[in-house]
């Protein structure tokens, strides 16, 4: 059974963003399995994979907010930056041999749930309005810019 199950209440109503959030939940489940297996290399790979993906996801979100002239853009970007530097400290501790994977996993789950339900929900209307004026092609190329693939999922 998965460690963390996606709940419909997490959806903010912007498909690309919801799919990215679902992916993060999947990665956290992978991290959980890696921790149970107790294989340091798998934990390390999963840990780095998750954090890279989160950084790309934040950049994608920031681009949308910026294009939408979202009034709280800088505030939201600051929240992302603080979170990324916090993750960076965990990565350093992990590389120094500290067993922080479980703690980081729990923090990612709590932080992301709160962030999705509150801060991300707050930009929804503004970003949706901006996206409604964009063609599917434009949306795909925006996605490709941050995730390097035209397969949006
Ligand atoms: Fe966000």
């Amino acid at each position: 059974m998965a460690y963390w199950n996606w709940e419909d209440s997490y959806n903010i109503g912007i498909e690309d963003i919801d799919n990215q959030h679902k992916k993060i939940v999947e990665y956290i489940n992978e991290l959980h399995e890696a921790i149970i297996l107790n294989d340091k290399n798998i934990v390390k790979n999963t840990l780095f994979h998750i954090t890279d993906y989160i950084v790309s996801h934040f950049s994608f979100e920031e681009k949308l907010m910026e294009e939408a002239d979202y009034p709280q853009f800088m505030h939201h970007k600051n929240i992302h930056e603080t979170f990324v530097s916090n993750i960076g400290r965990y990565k350093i501790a992990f590389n120094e041999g500290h067993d922080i994977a479980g703690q980081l996993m729990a923090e990612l789950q709590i932080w992301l749930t709160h962030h999705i339900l509150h801060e991300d929900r707050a930009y929804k209307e503004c970003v949706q309005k901006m996206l409604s004026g964009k063609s599917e092609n434009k949306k795909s190329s925006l996605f490709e810019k941050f995730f390097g693939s035209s397969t949006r999922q």
Side-chain angles (χ1 to χ4, degrees):
M1 205 179 106
Y3 165 76
W4 187 15
N5 289 306
W6 179 262
E7 288 176 28
D8 286 344
S9 62
Y10 299 156
N11 284 316
I12 67 166
I14 298 171
E15 204 182 350
D16 279 331
I17 296 289
D18 289 332
N19 287 339
Q20 288 164 29
H21 287 156
K22 281 179 192 164
K23 196 96 196 159
I24 294 171
V25 169
E26 275 175 36
Y27 282 143
I28 290 176
N29 283 325
E30 280 177 28
L31 179 60
H32 181 249
E33 279 172 34
I35 291 170
I36 287 174
L37 284 174
N38 204 16
D39 183 317
K40 242 186 155 192
N41 274 332
I42 303 178
V43 170
K44 186 177 179 174
N45 287 340
T46 317
L47 206 63
F48 280 69
H49 209 158
I50 289 183
T51 51
D52 280 356
Y53 188 84
I54 289 176
V55 169
S56 299
H57 164 66
F58 283 172
S59 303
F60 180 81
E61 262 190 14
E62 285 162 15
K63 181 72 183 159
L64 293 186
M65 286 186 275
E66 201 178 10
E67 284 205 23
D69 276 328
Y70 178 52
Q72 297 295 311
F73 170 66
M74 279 316 291
H75 173 66
H76 199 127
K77 191 173 155 67
N78 284 338
I79 292 172
H80 285 171
E81 280 167 4
T82 305
F83 184 69
V84 170
S85 76
N86 196 17
I87 292 178
R89 275 195 289 276
Y90 273 106
K91 278 165 100 173
I92 291 168
F94 182 84
N95 281 333
E96 286 171 346
H98 300 286
D99 186 11
I100 51 79
Q103 202 186 331
L104 173 60
M105 185 185 69
E107 188 165 327
L108 282 174
Q109 185 184 12
I110 293 165
W111 191 92
L112 284 164
T113 308
H114 176 88
H115 189 67
I116 289 169
L117 291 176
H118 299 279
E119 283 101 13
D120 287 348
R121 202 162 288 266
Y123 68 60
K124 173 190 168 170
E125 270 181 41
C126 188
V127 167
Q128 264 177 338
K129 208 169 154 197
M130 178 278 290
L131 285 173
S132 68
K134 274 199 188 302
S135 67
E136 277 307 309
N137 269 354
K138 281 222 165 104
K139 286 186 214 169
S140 286
S141 60
L142 191 64
F143 183 88
E144 260 180 80
K145 198 172 159 194
F146 295 95
F147 294 96
S149 153
S150 57
T151 316
R152 286 154 74 199
Q153 53 167 306

